[in-house]
Amino acid sequence: MANFTQLRTTMVDTQVRPSDVTKFPIIEAMLTVPRENFVPAGKREAAYVGEHVDLGQGRVVLDPRVLAKMLDALNIQNDEMVLDLGCGLGYSSAVIARMAQVVVAVEEDAELAKDAAAALAENGSDNVILETGEIAVGAAQHGPYDAVILQGGVEEMPEAILSQVKENGRICAIFLDGALGIVRIGYKIGGEITWRMVFNATAPILPGFEKRAEFAL
């Protein structure tokens, strides 16, 4: 039987801290949230390996390094509301819930959402609101949000998501161009999003975030 507490500590010490993530709220959250409870039952032993965990249907739990560095860039505060898009089985939401005031998690796969709700409840993440619906639509009814994070790749960002970022808020996503991926953080100032590069990473494209085909006449 794996010692998951020790594996969590090793994950933080060998994957998160060496990635220049040192903010205490992120370290504390990743040391505390039992990642093994937020992956498919057959993959619990692989929960702390330094790579994405496959959820099937082209969906993943992001590599701990990638999630930690995205959270580091977002610099979430304990009085903020965060939109977590494509939460899968809820790991990212459980981590963010220890840092933010409220997390609104959106998942469109009904089975994943059902299992996420159970895992979040078992974890005591009672400041997470889980919405089952299209990821690319978001959850405007609870917004706008101080911070938005996407748990997968993006080729094209829907305007519906950008509109849910609060003025002076932030959004972080993995933008893909073919096999290349770049994590960018966007700041909304004067109603416009200004993007900057943070680091390189890649992940499967979230449903609804594919580049739309251009038809030539």
Side-chain angles (χ1 to χ4, degrees), residues 4 16 36 70 82 84 92 99 106 108 111 123 126-127 130-131 142 160 182 200 202-203:
F4 289 117
V16 177
E36 71 275 9
M70 292 175 78
V82 179
D84 186 22
S92 54
M99 304 162 57
V106 179
E108 64 184 55
E111 284 302 310
N123 192 58
D126 55 7
N127 60 332
L130 180 60
E131 297 283 355
H142 298 292
I182 298 172
N200 294 314
T202 189

Side-chain angles (χ1 to χ4, degrees), residues 127-149:
N127 60 332
V128 178
I129 301 168
L130 180 60
E131 297 283 355
T132 304
E134 289 183 56
I135 300 167
V137 172
Q141 67 273 28
H142 298 292
Y145 300 92
D146 298 289
V148 177
I149 184 169

Side-chain angles (χ1 to χ4, degrees), residues 21 40 62 87 119 131 148 171 185 197:
V21 177
L62 288 181
C87 69
E131 297 283 355
V148 177
I171 179 170
I185 185 164
M197 176 185 170

Side-chain angles (χ1 to χ4, degrees), residues 80-163:
E80 292 186 323
M81 179 181 283
V82 179
L83 178 61
D84 186 22
L85 293 169
C87 69
L89 288 173
Y91 175 70
S92 54
S93 300
V95 169
I96 297 166
R98 298 191 65 87
M99 304 162 57
Q101 184 172 56
V102 179
V103 181
V104 177
V106 179
E107 178 50 59
E108 64 184 55
D109 183 296
E111 284 302 310
L112 287 178
K114 178 182 173 184
D115 290 344
L120 287 163
E122 183 179 341
N123 192 58
S125 303
D126 55 7
N127 60 332
V128 178
I129 301 168
L130 180 60
E131 297 283 355
T132 304
E134 289 183 56
I135 300 167
V137 172
Q141 67 273 28
H142 298 292
Y145 300 92
D146 298 289
V148 177
I149 184 169
L150 289 88
Q151 303 299 323
V154 173
E155 286 183 323
E156 199 166 279
M157 185 72 74
E159 183 58 40
I161 299 303
L162 297 178
S163 69

Side-chain angles (χ1 to χ4, degrees), residues 11 25 42 47 49-50 63 92 104 106 151 163 168 185 188-189 210:
M11 175 189 76
V49 175
D63 178 331
S92 54
V104 177
V106 179
Q151 303 299 323
S163 69
N168 298 315
I185 185 164
K188 182 175 271 191
I189 301 170
E210 305 89 349

